[in-house]
């Protein structure tokens, strides 16, 4: 854990045990995902990418990815205040640019898919702030983080131990 709170002395719950080590049990899939992640980010602002990854991870309740991407965002120069406000970004719009808000709205639409599709108005807002190549990359980033979230939540990856830059390619 990255805090001084030890479960035995502080009353905090102990860390859960992972169900499966994807990197060990499916190494080719894991390596391919890391390569895909790096490719998806190309041409996009690293801070924007981290905001998108944090927001999708919040929606998907992925503690491991939240740990990783908040640390990466901080390392990339993001502020604690904007990271804290991200869960309620629509009520905190003044913390984010119009481009970031469009990316976050697209992230939510792609992640949740409650209507069975991404609404045209959400796509059109994003298209005002990103060219087609950037939209393709952004769609890839959102899709990749959703896949990572599913791997991490399903296998119960343990948050709290990630070091920024550990998975950079």
């Amino acid at each position: 854990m990255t805090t001084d709170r030890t479960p035995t002395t502080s009353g905090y719950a102990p860390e859960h045990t992972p169900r499966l080590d994807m990197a060990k049990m499916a190494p080719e899939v894991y390596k391919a995902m890391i390569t895909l992640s790096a490719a998806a980010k190309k041409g996009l602002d690293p801070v924007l990418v981290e905001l998108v990854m944090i927001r999708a991870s919040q929606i998907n309740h992925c503690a491991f990815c939240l740990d990783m991407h908040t640390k990466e965002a901080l390392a990339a120069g993001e502020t604690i205040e904007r990271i804290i406000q991200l869960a309620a970004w629509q009520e905190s719009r003044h913390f984010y640019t119009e481009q970031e808000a469009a990316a976050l709205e697209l992230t939510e639409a792609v992640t949740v898919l409650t209507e069975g599709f991404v609404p045209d108005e959400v796509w059109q807002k994003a298209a005002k702030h990103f060219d087609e190549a950037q939209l393709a990359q952004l769609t890839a980033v959102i899709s990749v983080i959703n896949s990572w979230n599913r791997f991490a939540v399903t296998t119960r990856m343990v948050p709290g131990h990630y070091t920024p830059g550990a998975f950079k390619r």
Side-chain angles (χ1 to χ4, degrees), residues 59-60 105-119 122 139 142-143 146 150:
I59 294 166
N60 290 323
E105 190 170 4
L106 183 62
T107 299
E108 291 180 357
V110 173
T111 299
V112 179
L113 291 175
T114 55
E115 301 297 320
F117 59 90
V118 174
V122 171
T139 301
I142 297 166
S143 298
N146 274 280
R150 279 142 182 81

Side-chain angles (χ1 to χ4, degrees), residues 51 54-56 58-59 66 80-96 100-101 104-105 108:
L51 291 175
I54 293 167
R55 186 65 193 122
Q58 289 171 334
I59 294 166
L66 284 169
I80 291 172
E81 187 171 44
R82 283 175 25 114
I83 292 170
I84 290 168
Q85 292 299 317
L86 196 53
W89 71 270
Q90 290 176 332
E91 294 180 51
S92 305
R93 291 284 300 250
H94 60 286
F95 285 96
Y96 307 98
E100 290 167 339
L104 293 171
E105 190 170 4
E108 291 180 357

Side-chain angles (χ1 to χ4, degrees), residues 111-156:
T111 299
V112 179
L113 291 175
T114 55
E115 301 297 320
F117 59 90
V118 174
D120 288 340
E121 61 272 8
V122 171
W123 183 262
Q124 290 164 355
K125 279 184 201 173
K128 287 180 185 176
H129 299 283
F130 298 94
D131 64 30
E132 284 190 344
Q134 291 170 320
L135 275 173
Q137 294 300 125
L138 183 57
T139 301
V141 165
I142 297 166
S143 298
V144 169
I145 190 58
N146 274 280
S147 293
W148 277 120
N149 290 163
R150 279 142 182 81
F151 284 155
V153 170
T154 302
T155 64
R156 295 183 51 133

